[in-house]
Amino acid sequence: MSEPVPGSAFRSTMRRVPSPVVVVTAQGEAEARGITIGSFTSVALEPPLVSFNVGRESRMYEVMEACRRYAVHVLSERQVHLAKRFAVPGLTGAEQFEAVSYHTREGDDTPLLNDVTARLLCVPHESIDAGDHTLYIGKVVEIDRPPDEGAVLYYQSTYRGVGSELPSTEFSPVKRASSDSS
């Protein structure tokens, strides 16, 4: 069996892959917490599913294991400060939300960040152990889409905006052989 590549080489290579930045918030048994996520992606349309990874050593892991719902916040380009805040590992849940503009969802106290580009409210669908992380798959049960104010990406260890659309060169149409010739 082949040995895996060294973690440092893998990390360095993955820094070349831009990833969307979201903040996931949830109410656990003891406290509300949030975490900055760079592994967010859509999984399926029917039912609408999204996924992201959380390290099992993270304080957010216990919250994710206990919560009945959670919110995924797509940050606007003006909200890099939130990505940085929720990426600090040593903060308590109360410290994470200190001076942050948010409100809680009635009925389950899920923290909802204000003024985001989009918010997806999810219920847990499945969780899968993956190395030292857990992959969480959530079913999207509610969407809030205020005006689009861009999004935040993580690339080469820095936060960036989406930027402008790139031009593309068209390929010539593919010439196919006639199926009648055989």
Side-chain angles (χ1 to χ4, degrees), residues 86-101:
F86 288 98
V88 176
L91 299 178
T92 66
E95 289 170 333
Q96 286 186 314
F97 291 98
E98 189 176 299
V100 170
S101 177

Side-chain angles (χ1 to χ4, degrees), residues 48-50 120-123 138-143:
L49 300 175
V50 296
L120 297 90
L121 192 63
C122 303
V123 295
K139 181 165 59 170
V140 180
V141 295
E142 192 177 312
I143 294 176

Side-chain angles (χ1 to χ4, degrees), residues 1-176:
M1 186 157 98
S2 298
E3 291 296 314
V5 298
S8 59
F10 182 64
R11 180 180 293 121
S12 176
T13 301
M14 292 308 295
R15 286 182 178 145
R16 298 178 181 191
V17 179
S19 59
V21 175
V22 300
V23 170
V24 174
T25 59
Q27 175 65 49
E29 290 178 7
E31 66 178 349
R33 292 199 66 81
I35 188 170
T36 301
I37 297 290
S39 59
F40 177 72
T41 190
S42 62
V43 175
L45 291 176
E46 292 297 328
L49 300 175
V50 296
S51 73
F52 56 91
N53 308 314
V54 173
R56 284 196 290 281
E57 77 290 343
S58 163
R59 290 182 180 183
M60 189 65 173
Y61 173 75
E62 289 182 18
V63 172
M64 290 303 301
E65 290 295 300
C67 72
R68 294 187 336 260
R69 63 180 71 236
Y70 53 87
V72 177
H73 304 87
V74 179
L75 302 179
S76 77
E77 291 181 1
R78 299 177 294 104
Q79 294 178 311
V80 170
H81 62 285
L82 294 176
K84 290 179 177 181
R85 167 66 67 90
F86 288 98
V88 176
L91 299 178
T92 66
E95 289 170 333
Q96 286 186 314
F97 291 98
E98 189 176 299
V100 170
S101 177
Y102 78 100
H103 60 285
T104 57
R105 187 173 186 278
E106 255 184 71
D108 60 26
D109 293 333
T110 302
L112 304 175
L113 304 178
N114 295 329
D115 305 318
V116 294
T117 288
R119 182 184 308 111
L120 297 90
L121 192 63
C122 303
V123 295
H125 180 75
E126 190 171 351
S127 62
I128 302 166
D129 286 346
D132 58 355
H133 283 64
T134 297
L135 171 68
Y136 290 99
I137 301 172
K139 181 165 59 170
V140 180
V141 295
E142 192 177 312
I143 294 176
D144 183 19
R145 293 182 348 158
D148 187 349
E149 295 193 34
V152 179
L153 299 176
Y154 195 71
Y155 176 71
Q156 294 288 7
S157 301
T158 61
Y159 294 106
R160 301 174 183 228
V162 174
S164 60
E165 184 175 350
L166 300 174
S168 174
T169 303
E170 296 275 336
F171 284 105
S172 300
V174 175
K175 295 179 183 177
R176 294 190 172 176

